Amino acid sequence: MRDLWTKSGARLRLIRSNAGEKINWLFLPGGPGFDASYFLSFTVDLPVPGSIWHLDLPGNGSNVTSDDFDFSGWRESLIEATKTLHNVVLVGHSFGAIFALMCPELESELVGLVLLNAASTPWVEAVNKIREEKH
């Protein structure tokens, strides 16, 4: 496995690659607190064209650089991570799926978006309201 790091500290871990294929599948875990390693048994043999990457945002799961947990920069970090690769299909699970939906800027960066076990619209609206109140 090979790791790429963004300036903001997001870790993109290459799980496997098919030479010649141009699609990059980027798996964003549910969380906060979970790193993408729980996808491994699923993604290592997933029969999709292109490369499969796991994305761990700064401070999440095993991607810890300090004892402080601060996800205020995750939005920018997610956008930066998707710009690191070309032809990205973002696969978000649970919180990762909802978080991706809360970043409309991703639409111009992605060739596809897959949502796994995402919560309903009322939950997204509640999270957005809390986020707006804090800013």
Side-chain angles (χ1 to χ4, degrees):
M1 287 184 255
R2 184 183 82 190
D3 291 347
L4 293 177
W5 295 89
T6 66
K7 289 181 183 181
S8 67
R11 178 179 63 208
L12 292 87
R13 178 162 285 166
L14 180 63
I15 303 305
R16 71 170 183 77
S17 181
N18 293 326
E21 297 288 346
K22 304 289 188 210
I23 298 172
N24 287 289
W25 298 83
L26 188 57
F27 282 76
L28 179 64
F34 297 105
D35 63 30
S37 64
Y38 72 82
F39 284 125
L40 190 57
S41 63
F42 174 65
T43 56
V44 71
D45 293 320
L46 189 63
V48 294
S51 299
I52 294 179
W53 299 82
H54 290 177
L55 172 59
D56 291 308
L57 296 174
N60 199 34
S62 64
N63 186 14
V64 178
T65 55
S66 75
D67 291 335
D68 295 331
F69 185 77
D70 178 18
F71 56 91
S72 63
W74 278 12
R75 179 188 204 91
E76 292 77 20
S77 186
L78 176 58
I79 295 164
E80 178 187 36
T82 61
K83 290 180 178 183
T84 301
L85 304 170
H86 298 287
N87 298 320
V88 172
V89 175
L90 182 62
V91 181
H93 174 242
S94 189
F95 174 82
I98 298 303
F99 190 63
L101 290 175
M102 293 171 33
C103 300
E105 304 90 339
L106 289 174
E107 185 173 357
S108 63
E109 302 301 325
L110 304 175
V111 297
L113 176 63
V114 178
L115 307 176
L116 303 174
N117 297 344
S120 63
T121 300
W123 189 88
V124 174
E125 291 169 355
V127 168
N128 278 330
K129 182 179 177 187
I130 292 168
R131 183 178 55 84
E132 290 171 8
E133 289 171 357
K134 292 190 177 210
H135 287 88

